[in-house]
Amino acid sequence: MLTQTQYTALNPHRHIWVHACAGTGKTFILIYRILRLLLEGVRPERIVALTFTQHAGKEMTQRLYSLLEEIMRSSYRCKTVLTMCLGGPAHPHQISYAQKLWSEILDTSLNIQTLHSFCQNILQTFSLEAGIIGNFKILDENQGVSLWNQQQEWVCSAAYPASVELQSALVRLATRYTLHQITSHLQFLWNRSKEVIFPTKHPKPSELSPPALLCPRVLAQLTEYLGEEYSVSHLKGLELSWDRPEYRAFFLTQKGTPRKKLLSVKVPEHLKQWLEFAQHDLKTALYQERHIHAWQDTQDFCHLFSEIYSHYHQYKVENGFLDFSDLIYKTIELLEDKRHMGWVFSQLDRKIHHILVDEAQDTSPAQWKVLELLSEVWNGQHNKTLFVVGDPKQSIYGFQGADLEQFYEAKNFFQSHAQCHEIPFDLLDLTHSFRSYSCILNVVNEVFQKDTCMDFKPHTALPYQQGGMVELLPILDSSVKKSSKILLAKLWVRRIRQWIEKKEILRCTGSVIKEDDILILMSKRCSLYETFSQELISQGFFVRETCTTVLKDTILVQDILALIYWLLNSYDDWSLVHVLKSPLFGISEKDLLSIFSFKSFGIKNLWTYLRSLQTEPWALYVKTLEHWKNFFFESTPFQFMQWWIYTPWVQKRYGAWPDTAQILDKVLALLFSFCQEQGKGWMQWIEMLSLVSLTFKQKTEKGIGVLTIHGSKGLQAPIVIIPDLSMEIRSKDYFTYTKDGPWKLNILQEDEDPWNLRHIEKQSQEERRILYVAMTRAQERLYCSSLKNSQPYQDVKNALSKLGKQIPWSLDSEINVTEPILRYEE
């Protein structure tokens, strides 16, 4: 049976805003809300369910279809589901109607999709009103990155001579950043392109006021007082300019903070004051300098970005392209256009009656704007509803633009909007966890209930999920010459083996512990992540992980690129050697050296020499390469790659390699999309394939899960291990985004810039939410440890000190610990 709060959430006649804590059945509620609407006679095509990812949309669709199929096939199952959904026995006509829903949905379409797909459908329907061509094409992520890089290269090589301002900006940036750094900065600005303002609205700092130098008279007095020998070694650099490293090193530490003690000996008070004045002046001047650099770098990056974006945008317009960002902002422009507003909303009013939003905490401000504008669709109409479900405690995608402040603003907007039209609007909290046992939830409550940055409500376990265990290891101190990371990995892997070998029984599954029951969570992919993976594999465990790999870094793609380079130019000996050494031919170093005497015979290149050899296996290799070469020049790029990949030769040599099918499918898909554009050949495709941004996800289904906490979102496991509670996660971005435009980070010191302080504060809050997500993945057992002392470690330690008990250390005699293990179980 459902809780009273869940029954309220299913009410099809009310606007509902749900804060669903981890494990409280969020997807379940969404599916049953859709079922309740269908039972009320709402047409499937008039229900729009918006998800954060395509994967979430597919999962929701599959679960709904499965539920409706069960209802159709079994009258008993139908009665059970309807009783749960309606809160009481169903009437015969309701049962009969419910069993027809599955076939009815097959004849229509369920609008369960991402917000981007939803906006795409709106723009295709109202393309004329939106001012775009009806058959516009969507630039996928890889195509967008490729086009952006092309426009960046053109602006930086061909366009900049025409603009003195752009030349100056490029020169200034080139003196402070490498080409790779400039490209990376521009890439991150492109990801948040609609938030870039040029010229920025940040006020320009005042001109730099050089500090008063330490006057020669004071320096002479110091030298006389301290002695020539001491002065030469300790006052070095004070006679130089303030902007010299030697001068700064006297007054400041390597981190740029003022030295607390300038001299190791006492000097007269008036000389000491002179030194302190000079130190203060230098600190003030350096702050001014850094502030000017931050402002100027922000201006220069935004200027360069605006030039590139202008060409990028023009190319999209001329060729009928829209990227994912355009789908959102073009929809906003359409819905705000007063010329067509009446017509557009009248059509949407007929099509959209109920909107359901999943994972609302991950929605960006622009996406919320779309939803706010769509609220006009049900303006004052009591038969139309909005259902929003999310958990602000699980908002961990700030680097993708998710804004938790906007989440709360949107909630207030929709609530006041409903009240204005006297439409019922309920704010609900789902706190009964169907996932975690009581011990885990008690620790979670203890760690987060006093957190002022979280809208936290105490979690409650179900009556049959009492018990469980939470354990915290003390910080390790090795007495042998091994790193703490290696010791930690070995310790946990040894414990995992003991659990499995002892055949311990899990209450939540009713069976012995298996590899699939264990999840190891890291805050990010780092050396600790790799250490755990390697240790598990070396001990014979299967590892289940999901990681994003750069396509060009895989050996298979490097082999493909070398082959294409050689096919394009037979005189490229280096590429030919790469191909011969690759699994395609597997030639050893010794055999290669044996044929590298060709130059002594006056032969200019390796290919010519190989063709002259009549012995095996060289003759077979030459015949194979010539066969590939002939087809290479007789076909299009896509035709060649499709043929080459499925030749028996390639399948035999790469068939057993891990992820081969995924990589080759990705390569073919890229090439197919690439070949749709006319006038592009092999060199342009090689350039695109060499991009760092082209990635694919490697995913294995069986074994012990080793995942980042971000990658574990939506997952659960009976046993969860968090090896490092440090949770040190810093933004991958180079800018913070403000109402005045981007602001360049990492130039000013953290305590000098309010924008930087705000950025760090938001990062710290997100790290707390990441810890919450990690802890709430566990069903029955949660194990924690840490490489160093940190706030999350102290929070968990304090909670277990209050709730649990101390266990003497007995896990590893090689490790010295001064504190006991803390364990909480019932």
Side-chain angles (χ1 to χ4, degrees):
M1 297 298 292
L2 303 181
T3 65
Q4 184 57 50
T5 305
Q6 288 175 316
Y7 279 126
T8 304
L10 298 183
N11 191 326
H13 305 294
R14 304 178 73 90
H15 290 321
I16 305 290
W17 190 287
V18 182
H19 287 190
C21 299
T24 53
K26 168 180 62 65
T27 306
F28 174 89
I29 290 297
L30 275 166
I31 291 170
Y32 272 71
R33 171 88 178 188
I34 295 174
L35 176 60
R36 184 72 184 272
L37 290 170
L38 294 173
L39 291 173
E40 292 287 321
V42 178
R43 295 290 303 165
E45 64 271 18
R46 292 179 178 171
I47 301 172
V48 176
L50 302 175
T51 62
F52 186 60
T53 63
Q54 290 182 344
H55 174 76
K58 289 178 182 178
E59 180 185 358
M60 192 186 303
T61 303
Q62 290 170 356
R63 289 179 61 172
L64 180 60
Y65 271 108
S66 297
L67 178 64
L68 294 178
E69 187 176 2
E70 291 174 10
I71 289 173
M72 179 195 69
R73 294 181 180 277
S74 170
S75 296
Y76 174 78
R77 176 62 173 158
C78 180
K79 292 177 182 178
T80 304
V81 170
L82 293 191
T83 300
M84 185 183 301
C85 188
L86 299 172
H91 295 291
H93 74 274
Q94 290 176 315
I95 296 174
S96 175
Y97 182 72
Q99 291 187 304
K100 297 176 183 177
L101 286 175
W102 188 75
S103 57
E104 182 177 331
I105 283 182
L106 289 179
D107 296 332
T108 58
S109 60
L110 276 173
N111 294 318
I112 300 177
Q113 56 195 322
T114 64
L115 186 61
H116 288 93
S117 298
F118 176 71
C119 290
Q120 181 179 346
N121 292 337
I122 290 180
L123 292 176
Q124 287 173 335
T125 304
F126 303 103
S127 57
L128 182 62
E129 292 81 0
I132 57 178
I133 61 174
N135 60 340
F136 63 84
K137 300 180 284 293
I138 303 298
L139 280 176
D140 64 28
E141 184 178 357
N142 295 324
Q143 291 172 321
V145 170
S146 178
L147 174 58
W148 174 262
N149 288 335
Q150 290 173 20
Q151 301 306 318
Q152 177 183 326
E153 182 178 352
W154 188 86
V155 167
C156 293
S157 61
Y160 83 95
S163 170
V164 176
E165 293 82 2
L166 188 57
Q167 285 184 46
S168 300
L170 276 170
V171 168
R172 282 191 296 266
L173 292 176
T175 60
R176 292 172 54 78
Y177 302 92
T178 66
L179 177 60
H180 174 72
Q181 289 172 330
I182 292 173
T183 300
S184 298
H185 281 55
L186 292 171
Q187 183 73 53
F188 279 103
L189 285 176
W190 178 57
N191 292 335
R192 306 282 286 268
S193 56
K194 302 302 180 181
E195 298 171 70
V196 177
I197 300 173
F198 177 75
T200 65
K201 296 180 181 179
H202 296 287
K204 185 176 181 178
S206 57
E207 294 295 328
L208 178 63
S209 302
L213 298 180
L214 195 66
C215 70
R217 181 175 57 83
V218 174
L219 186 57
Q221 290 181 35
L222 274 171
T223 303
E224 181 181 355
Y225 182 84
L226 297 172
E228 190 69 32
E229 183 177 348
Y230 184 94
S231 300
V232 169
S233 59
H234 290 79
L235 302 184
K236 184 179 179 181
L238 289 183
E239 75 281 2
L240 303 174
S241 172
W242 71 275
D243 56 356
R244 292 288 296 275
E246 298 92 335
Y247 186 90
R248 298 183 182 188
F250 179 84
F251 292 105
L252 307 173
T253 65
Q254 289 184 347
K255 294 182 179 180
T257 57
R259 293 187 184 277
K260 294 180 180 179
K261 192 173 183 180
L262 296 175
L263 293 173
S264 58
V265 296
K266 289 186 177 181
V267 295
E269 189 63 28
H270 72 283
L271 294 178
K272 180 182 177 182
Q273 288 181 358
W274 273 107
L275 289 174
E276 291 175 348
F277 289 152
Q279 184 185 47
H280 179 268
D281 283 353
L282 177 62
K283 181 184 175 183
T284 303
L286 290 179
Y287 166 71
Q288 283 184 298
E289 183 183 57
R290 287 191 293 267
H291 196 85
I292 291 171
H293 281 317
W295 182 86
Q296 190 62 63
D297 284 3
T298 300
Q299 283 288 102
D300 291 341
F301 274 116
C302 289
H303 187 184
L304 181 55
F305 170 85
S306 65
E307 288 289 332
I308 300 170
Y309 189 81
S310 175
H311 290 85
Y312 171 80
H313 177 71
Q314 186 62 31
Y315 182 93
K316 289 190 300 178
V317 171
E318 292 174 354
N319 293 274
F321 285 122
L322 294 180
D323 59 22
F324 290 125
S325 176
D326 292 328
L327 294 176
I328 301 296
Y329 286 95
K330 286 289 184 182
T331 302
I332 292 174
E333 292 176 7
L334 171 67
L335 297 178
E336 289 183 329
D337 190 341
K338 295 182 180 180
R339 296 173 300 168
H340 310 295
M341 185 182 293
W343 161 252
V344 171
F345 279 111
S346 68
Q347 297 304 303
L348 292 176
D349 182 56
R350 293 190 303 107
K351 294 181 178 181
I352 303 173
H353 286 193
H354 302 275
I355 295 180
L356 300 91
V357 182
D358 186 20
E359 299 287 8
Q361 76 278 353
D362 296 324
T363 305
S364 69
Q367 293 170 333
W368 278 121
K369 183 65 176 177
V370 173
L371 295 172
E372 289 174 7
L373 290 170
L374 284 174
S375 64
E376 294 296 329
V377 170
W378 59 79
N379 191 359
Q381 301 186 46
H382 289 251
N383 63 324
K384 298 186 178 182
T385 63
L386 171 71
F387 180 86
V388 177
V389 61
D391 184 6
K393 300 183 296 302
Q394 297 187 66
S395 179
I396 60 175
Y397 292 100
F399 62 91
Q400 292 184 352
D403 189 338
L404 199 53
E405 293 178 0
Q406 191 66 37
F407 172 87
Y408 290 112
E409 289 179 11
K411 180 180 72 173
N412 295 334
F413 171 85
F414 287 116
Q415 185 177 18
S416 61
H417 192 273
Q419 290 173 349
C420 287
H421 297 288
E422 299 182 347
I423 299 175
F425 189 99
D426 292 323
L427 299 174
L428 306 177
D429 289 288
L430 296 180
T431 58
H432 281 80
S433 174
F434 295 89
R435 174 189 299 159
S436 301
Y437 277 60
S438 60
C439 284
I440 296 170
L441 295 179
N442 290 342
V443 173
V444 169
N445 291 339
E446 191 66 33
V447 170
F448 295 102
Q449 66 181 349
K450 295 180 181 179
D451 197 321
T452 56
C453 298
M454 279 192 175
D455 184 11
F456 189 85
K457 303 290 190 301
H459 296 26
T460 307
L462 297 178
Y464 60 84
Q465 288 184 319
Q466 300 300 308
M469 182 174 70
V470 182
E471 185 178 282
L472 175 67
L473 302 188
I475 297 174
L476 306 184
D477 179 23
S478 169
S479 60
V480 296
K481 292 184 178 180
K482 290 182 181 178
S483 76
S484 297
K485 295 176 182 178
I486 295 175
L487 280 174
L488 198 61
K490 288 183 177 295
L491 176 64
W492 281 119
V493 172
R494 188 159 54 249
R495 293 193 73 184
I496 290 170
R497 183 172 295 284
Q498 290 172 356
W499 298 335
I500 295 175
E501 289 178 349
K502 289 181 180 179
K503 296 184 178 180
E504 296 184 22
I505 304 294
L506 288 168
R507 286 176 55 193
C508 62
T509 62
S511 60
V512 298
I513 296 175
K514 304 185 296 295
E515 292 182 8
D516 294 355
D517 295 326
I518 302 170
L519 205 56
I520 301 174
L521 301 182
M522 314 281 185
S523 58
K524 57 185 176 182
R525 285 189 68 90
C526 55
S527 57
L528 181 64
Y529 187 106
E530 302 300 332
T531 301
F532 264 83
S533 295
Q534 292 169 8
E535 182 64 24
L536 286 166
I537 293 171
S538 69
Q539 294 300 316
F541 290 106
F542 289 101
V543 175
R544 167 169 48 104
E545 60 180 343
T546 300
C547 60
T548 301
T549 302
V550 178
L551 202 60
K552 77 177 185 65
D553 290 343
T554 62
I555 295 176
L556 179 51
V557 169
Q558 291 175 8
D559 294 345
I560 291 173
L561 288 172
L563 176 63
I564 295 172
Y565 277 124
W566 178 78
L567 290 171
L568 289 168
N569 178 16
S570 299
Y571 298 101
D572 185 351
D573 288 349
W574 286 110
S575 295
L576 180 55
V577 168
H578 183 139
V579 171
L580 293 173
K581 287 182 64 177
S582 74
L584 287 170
F585 298 98
I587 305 300
S588 66
E589 293 276 356
K590 182 179 178 181
D591 290 338
L592 275 174
L593 288 173
S594 69
I595 63 170
F596 256 84
S597 58
F598 67 89
K599 291 192 176 181
S600 63
F601 299 108
I603 301 176
K604 293 184 177 180
N605 63 81
L606 179 58
W607 174 240
T608 304
Y609 179 67
L610 289 179
R611 294 178 68 183
S612 68
L613 298 176
Q614 301 299 319
T615 57
E616 295 295 346
W618 303 110
L620 175 61
Y621 296 163
V622 168
K623 181 179 178 181
T624 302
L625 287 168
E626 284 183 332
H627 183 48
W628 294 351
K629 198 172 185 69
N630 291 334
F631 194 77
F632 180 80
F633 288 107
E634 293 173 358
S635 57
T636 65
F638 178 75
Q639 288 172 337
F640 173 77
M641 285 303 300
Q642 188 180 38
W643 168 82
W644 180 81
I645 283 172
Y646 294 106
T647 57
W649 187 286
V650 175
Q651 290 293 308
K652 179 181 179 181
R653 283 155 179 78
Y654 287 105
W657 276 50
D659 304 312
T660 295
Q662 286 180 272
I663 296 172
L664 293 179
D665 286 346
K666 181 76 172 178
V667 168
L668 276 180
L670 287 169
L671 191 53
F672 179 78
S673 300
F674 182 83
C675 288
Q676 301 303 305
E677 300 180 45
Q678 299 297 321
K680 290 193 173 182
W682 279 110
M683 293 308 298
Q684 289 91 342
W685 185 68
I686 289 173
E687 181 183 347
M688 182 184 74
L689 197 61
S690 301
L691 293 175
V692 176
S693 55
L694 290 180
T695 60
F696 75 102
K697 284 194 174 181
Q698 293 176 292
K699 185 176 182 180
T700 50
E701 301 295 338
K702 297 292 183 181
I704 297 171
V706 181
L707 303 171
T708 63
I709 298 171
H710 286 88
S712 71
K713 186 82 176 295
L715 302 179
Q716 62 186 37
I719 300 174
V720 168
I721 300 171
I722 308 175
D724 186 15
L725 283 171
S726 300
M727 293 292 156
E728 291 187 354
I729 302 169
R730 284 293 173 255
S731 173
K732 300 174 183 177
D733 212 333
Y734 300 107
F735 300 88
T736 187
Y737 299 90
T738 75
K739 60 181 176 56
D740 296 323
W743 180 255
K744 182 72 181 70
L745 295 172
N746 304 323
I747 298 178
L748 287 167
Q749 294 178 3
E750 292 180 356
D751 61 343
E752 295 177 335
D753 184 6
W755 289 122
N756 216 348
L757 290 171
R758 175 60 178 150
H759 177 75
I760 293 169
E761 180 187 355
K762 292 181 72 172
Q763 291 272 288
S764 299
Q765 293 172 4
E766 186 159 309
E767 286 172 7
R768 294 287 292 169
R769 298 194 290 270
I770 290 171
L771 175 63
Y772 172 83
V773 170
M775 295 179 70
T776 54
R777 299 309 96 194
Q779 293 176 265
E780 186 174 331
R781 300 189 192 179
L782 174 63
Y783 295 93
C784 303
S785 56
S786 188
L787 290 172
K788 62 181 180 180
N789 200 354
S790 62
Q791 189 60 50
Y793 173 78
Q794 286 298 325
D795 290 341
V796 176
K797 182 179 178 180
N798 293 338
L800 290 179
S801 297
K802 179 179 179 180
L803 299 172
K805 59 183 178 180
Q806 297 181 354
I807 306 295
W809 177 266
S810 60
L811 298 177
D812 194 325
S813 59
E814 290 186 350
I815 303 173
N816 294 328
V817 293
T818 57
E819 298 183 13
I821 297 171
L822 294 176
R823 182 180 296 166
Y824 171 47
E825 58 185 339
E826 295 176 351

